[in-house]
Amino acid sequence: MALIIIKGIIFIFITGPGIMGNIFVFITYMCIFFQGTEKKSIYLILMHLAFANTILLFFKGIPKTIATFGLISFLNDGVCKTVVYLERVARGLTVCTTSFLTVVQAITIIPSAPGWAKLKSRSKWHIFCFFLFFWIFNSLLSMNLLYYIQSISSINSSQNSDNNRYCYFIPESQKVTRIFLILMGIRDALCQCLTGWASVYMVFLLHKHHKHVLYLQNSKILYRTPPEIRAAQSVLLLMLCFLFFYWTDCIFSLYFNSSFDNNFIELNILEILNLGYASLSPFVLIHRHG
């Protein structure tokens, strides 16, 4: 009982501030974008990331918190399918948007060159096209959940081995499972590769910038860091946060799937890691940008 209460309190402190932080970031960048003189594409991507994080926390964190305190039959089949489906879509959107953010920021700080200048001058509508693709792709990638999810209230107690679950996953064919797992693996691997390339390139440019700053300081020349460099540093910090939670989640998931005696604490650590990035990322941005 003590562990259940502690788990509920932890979920409240992760979900509540996380939702408020993402809403604050979304509204702040929306005001900057529409009221500011310079409408940067990076603001749209940060708004979309905050929106995806809010959906993930709302449709995963809040039901988990309610189910922790024993209210496991508060969703019917239709609502349960919607909650789990949107949770999966939001997770995919977070992965894709974070990777897209890193690539766009890397292109932004690339030194002027004819080839990259065309990419930098793209209109904001091209950003919306990427967002539309992310939504369609991740929506289709999660379609199987609509057929294999039921509410806990619609099954008998013998099938429900976990009294903290609010939805039940009906076992599907191994072929269908492999297809969707392979597609999700390809998506995550591609996003990780793009994120890695963009992050390494930004680190290289920031290292060159650091040496340039040291030279100017030694020459007694007053120098101010360009906003693009400060933004790149913020995105890199966000990437470190994302990679930490993503790979820690993967390692724990592999361990739990290969272990037959998962205890209460271990499973709850995995659930907390699933929400860690969505909850912490807005405060990284707030800290970096005041």
Side-chain angles (χ1 to χ4, degrees):
M1 181 62 68
L3 290 176
I4 290 175
I5 294 175
I6 293 172
K7 175 187 174 182
I9 293 173
I10 291 174
F11 270 114
I12 290 173
F13 277 99
I14 289 176
T15 305
I19 291 176
M20 297 304 296
N22 280 291
I23 292 175
F24 176 78
V25 168
F26 180 85
I27 294 175
T28 300
Y29 279 111
M30 184 173 62
C31 293
I32 294 173
F33 182 81
F34 288 106
Q35 296 179 1
T37 56
E38 191 174 6
K39 301 183 184 301
K40 295 183 178 181
S41 300
I42 205 78
Y43 297 156
L44 289 174
I45 302 174
L46 289 170
M47 288 163 56
H48 189 260
L49 178 61
F51 182 67
N53 286 338
T54 303
I55 295 176
L56 179 60
L57 289 169
F58 189 84
F59 287 101
K60 186 178 180 67
I62 292 179
K64 282 287 184 184
T65 304
I66 297 174
T68 298
F69 291 105
L71 301 175
I72 60 174
S73 58
F74 64 99
L75 299 178
N76 57 35
D77 274 351
V79 178
C80 198
K81 291 176 186 290
T82 303
V83 167
V84 178
Y85 176 73
L86 289 177
E87 169 203 325
R88 178 74 67 82
V89 172
R91 183 196 176 277
L93 289 173
T94 301
V95 173
C96 294
T97 307
T98 302
S99 176
F100 186 50
L101 172 66
T102 318
V103 173
V104 170
Q105 186 59 59
I107 294 174
T108 302
I109 65 174
I110 286 177
S112 298
W116 294 109
K118 294 180 181 180
L119 287 177
K120 292 182 182 181
S121 61
R122 296 291 185 184
S123 68
K124 307 302 177 295
W125 291 110
H126 289 83
I127 302 296
F128 285 110
C129 290
F130 278 101
F131 291 163
L132 180 62
F133 170 74
F134 294 158
W135 275 92
I136 294 175
F137 177 73
N138 287 289
S139 297
L140 294 176
L141 198 57
S142 304
M143 287 295 293
N144 65 316
L145 293 177
L146 297 177
Y147 298 96
Y148 298 101
I149 287 293
Q150 280 188 350
S151 172
I152 286 294
S153 59
S154 63
I155 65 173
N156 56 52
S157 58
S158 61
Q159 291 177 280
N160 181 24
S161 59
D162 184 1
N163 58 4
N164 288 327
R165 288 192 304 175
Y166 48 91
C167 293
Y168 179 75
F169 188 80
I170 305 172
E172 57 184 335
S173 66
Q174 291 295 321
K175 184 178 181 180
V176 174
T177 302
R178 289 195 188 98
I179 291 174
F180 281 93
L181 285 177
I182 289 173
L183 290 174
M184 286 191 292
I186 293 174
R187 177 201 62 192
D188 289 4
L190 180 60
C191 289
Q192 291 289 322
C193 290
L194 291 173
T195 301
W197 167 81
S199 299
V200 170
Y201 185 77
M202 281 194 289
V203 169
F204 171 72
L205 289 181
L206 290 176
H207 178 67
K208 288 179 62 178
H209 172 261
H210 179 67
K211 293 198 299 184
H212 181 60
V213 170
L214 291 179
Y215 169 76
L216 293 177
Q217 288 176 345
N218 293 333
S219 303
K220 302 280 194 303
I221 298 176
L222 183 62
Y223 178 80
R224 291 188 62 186
T225 304
E228 290 82 5
I229 296 298
R230 294 198 301 270
Q233 293 169 345
S234 301
V235 170
L236 278 176
L237 187 59
L238 204 61
M239 289 313 100
L240 289 175
C241 177
F242 169 73
L243 292 174
F244 169 77
F245 282 106
Y246 181 88
W247 285 108
T248 306
D249 184 19
C250 288
I251 293 171
F252 269 83
S253 297
L254 290 173
Y255 170 73
F256 293 150
N257 288 331
S258 61
S259 177
F260 295 99
D261 54 346
N262 300 328
N263 60 43
F264 180 84
I265 297 177
E266 291 174 341
L267 292 174
N268 288 320
I269 290 175
L270 182 61
E271 292 178 353
I272 292 171
L273 288 173
N274 289 333
L275 299 174
Y277 174 68
S279 180
L280 187 61
S281 59
F283 298 102
V284 172
L285 293 171
I286 292 170
H287 171 71
R288 290 290 302 175
H289 297 277

